[in-house]
């Protein structure tokens, strides 16, 4: 038996929620290892829709679900999401859900700072943040001034840390022309939410170590996508954490040898939410058609996603930096009925051929994609559960993607429903 790490291998929104839900039936433990409640996962189970943004997807299936130390944690959103799931009949208790006591807290002024910065940047300079305070919370973590989940149990002893934290943020707020943070109000808000959160707090690393020693199957659940990784993505239009598979170890508390098989999730086309380079973006009726058929709106923000053709060069790059063993190809059915498809195989920059996207932001927006044309198919792939159910041309499209990205396709998803999945290789096998 092996453990499995699931990551997005594009710009997020690849359909990780369904794949993690599908894999959770084979797992004993599911752990989130980075990001925050800016990561939207939509699950469709027996026709009912569950929308998660902080909790691990395994919670809906009753699996032991853990929020690792690499996640930044908004206690008020946590309460809201738990109560919403309970309202849908999901049992969410400290027996099946644990939050690492070392998770940094997202506080109200983190969200405010996100908004102040985006507003001050103007339309051209906006990063495209979800305005949920993720970046500022990570800044406080690495600045060693963050409050953490465990601090909720000792609010009377946090004044020294608050001094450091508020000195930093009050200076920032003054620069934006805003008043300082009300210390008493902040402590009162923390005291009010603490009783709800604290029963879930735990040394998650210890729970994972016990699970590993007992031979239990662990599923590591990533958020966003590798192309949004703070080191390996299209910087500065990225998220504030590492998204690559290597973060599964650091963000959960298990060593890298325990993270197992790396499954990269990719759409059969490409999408992106917010600002930043997108070499294969389609600003025409084809892009609009992809968006409408794929229902391309962000789970968290509701923002319309930008759509384009599959970029094999970028996916190949994401696979290399994340050590992906196999990919899960999602939303193949969205391509049904197109007369012609295109796949980006590389780029041209001032006439020079490139097989990767350079790191310089100015270069990233200047490259021209090199496309390979591919015949489409008229038959439906929706709901297919075996290779025999797929049109021959759809199979050829999948095989060509495998060749171009240098990685095998392990699963193919053909609808939002969990069971509409073609299994080529069970990652847990």
């Amino acid at each position: 038996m092996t453990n499995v790490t699931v990551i997005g291998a594009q710009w997020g929104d690849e359909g990780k929620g369904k794949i993690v839900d599908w894999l959770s039936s084979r797992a004993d433990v599911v752990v989130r290892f980075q990001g925050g409640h800016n990561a939207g996962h939509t699950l469709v189970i027996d026709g009912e829709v569950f929308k998660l943004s902080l909790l691990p997807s395994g919670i809906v299936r009753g699996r032991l679900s853990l929020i690792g130390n690499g996640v930044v944690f908004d206690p008020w959103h946590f309460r809201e999401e738990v109560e919403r799931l309970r309202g849908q009949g999901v049992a969410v208790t400290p027996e099946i859900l644990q939050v690492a006591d070392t998770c940094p807290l997202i506080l109200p002024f983190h969200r405010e700072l996100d908004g102040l910065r985006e507003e001050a940047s103007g339309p051209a300079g906006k990063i495209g943040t979800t305005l949920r305070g993720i970046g500022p919370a990570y800044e406080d973590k690495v600045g060693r001034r963050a409050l953490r989940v465990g601090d909720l149990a000792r609010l009377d002893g946090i004044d020294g840390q608050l001094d450091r934290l508020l000195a930093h943020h009050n200076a920032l707020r003054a620069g934006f022309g805003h008043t300082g943070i009300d210390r008493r109000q902040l402590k009162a808000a923390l005291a009010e939410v603490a009783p709800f959160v604290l029963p879930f707090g735990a040394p998650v690393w210890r729970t994972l170590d016990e699970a590993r020693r007992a031979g239990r199957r662990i599923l590591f659940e990533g958020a966003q996508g590798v192309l949004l990784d703070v080191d390996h993505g299209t910087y500065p239009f990225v998220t504030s954490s590492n998204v690559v598979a290597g973060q599964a170890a650091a963000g959960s508390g298990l060593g890298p040898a325990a993270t197992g098989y790396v499954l990269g999730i990719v759409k059969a086309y490409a999408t992106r939410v917010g600002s930043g380079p997108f070499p294969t973006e389609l600003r025409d009726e084809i892009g609009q058609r992809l968006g409408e058929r794929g229902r391309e709106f962000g789970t968290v923000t509701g923002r319309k996603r930008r759509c384009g053709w599959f970029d094999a060069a970028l996916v190949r790059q994401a696979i290399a930096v994340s050590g992906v063993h196999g990919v899960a190809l999602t939303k193949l059915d969205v391509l049904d009925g197109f007369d012609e498809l295109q796949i980006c195989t590389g780029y041209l920059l001032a006439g020079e051929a490139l097989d990767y996207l350079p790191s310089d932001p100015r270069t990233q927006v200047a490259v021209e994609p090199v496309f390979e044309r591919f015949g489409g198919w008229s038959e439906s792939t929706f709901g297919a559960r075996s290779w025999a159910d797929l049109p021959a041309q759809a199979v050829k499209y999948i095989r060509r993607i495998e060749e171009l990205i240098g990685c095998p396709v392990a699963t193919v998803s053909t609808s939002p429903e969990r069971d509409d999945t073609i299994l080529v290789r069970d990652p847990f096998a």
Side-chain angles (χ1 to χ4, degrees), residues 347-361:
Y347 314 103
L348 289 176
L349 179 64
E352 179 185 355
L354 299 173
D355 62 357
Y356 71 99
L357 189 66
S359 60
D360 179 23

Side-chain angles (χ1 to χ4, degrees), residues 64-69 73 78 94-103 149-150 197-208 210 252:
L64 177 59
S65 298
L66 311 175
I67 296 177
N69 57 276
F73 182 83
F78 174 75
E95 286 69 40
I96 65 166
L97 176 63
Q98 294 181 8
V99 181
D101 51 11
T102 52
C103 281
V149 167
V197 174
L198 284 172
F200 296 94
V204 160
W205 66 268
R206 189 169 181 271
T207 301
L208 283 169
E210 291 171 351
S252 65

